[in-house]
Amino acid sequence: MGAPGPTTTATILAGGKASIPAGAPYSVGRAIQAANRIHRRTYIWGGGHRAFKAKGYDCSGAVSYVLHAAGVLSTPLVSGQLASWGIPGPGAWITVYANRTHTYMVVAGLRYDTSPLGEAVDQGRGPRWRYTVRTGTGFAVRHYAGL
């Protein structure tokens, strides 16, 4: 019997940052590292819209920051723009959910969101890894080809 295949699901580590799964593509590792860098930053409406580096982030600023680190976004986008970013449908590693008022993403099986919806443990606002999955109802589901 051979060795187990690569894990495609990240886990939330002590302190709330995410692990990089074995076998994750380089761009996914970069995305997770970026999300970990801004993890628990202050929620600031409009944060991350002018430039990727900001004192705090709103939903689209955080998603844009992570997509930029993955190498698939060259300029920050707002939620409504992310609703038509990439191509339709879920990705194998990174999926963006967006509508005109909110956006969040799932990276390697973990939700990265500024909204505490559904969370019992860490209910703070601002960019955080979350175990609970949202339904995606009312959101465009998008991904970058190959991810």
Side-chain angles (χ1 to χ4, degrees):
M1 179 158 60
T7 304
T8 59
T9 303
T11 57
I12 298 176
L13 306 169
K17 293 184 178 182
S19 66
I20 299 172
Y26 177 74
S27 57
V28 173
R30 298 252 335 197
I32 292 171
Q33 289 172 334
N36 285 341
R37 271 193 303 277
I38 64 169
H39 169 71
R40 292 196 174 154
R41 288 274 176 97
T42 302
Y43 180 91
I44 297 175
W45 188 79
H49 288 203
R50 285 187 177 185
F52 290 111
K53 189 173 181 180
K55 290 181 181 181
Y57 295 86
D58 68 3
C59 60
S60 57
V63 169
S64 290
Y65 182 86
V66 173
L67 293 174
H68 176 68
V72 298
L73 188 67
S74 60
T75 190
L77 301 177
V78 297
S79 299
Q81 292 170 314
L82 285 164
S84 59
W85 167 86
I87 57 177
W93 288 94
I94 298 175
T95 303
V96 172
Y97 296 82
N99 61 31
R100 65 181 191 84
T101 61
H102 187 61
T103 188
Y104 66 96
M105 64 195 315
V106 173
V107 181
L110 292 178
R111 185 175 119 226
Y112 195 68
D113 197 347
T114 57
S115 168
L117 183 70
E119 288 299 306
V121 179
D122 185 353
Q123 298 183 3
R125 291 184 71 198
R128 287 168 171 71
W129 291 106
R130 317 239 184 222
Y131 275 117
T132 57
V133 179
R134 294 177 73 154
T135 65
T137 301
F139 290 87
V141 180
R142 312 293 291 185
H143 74 283
Y144 188 81
L147 292 178

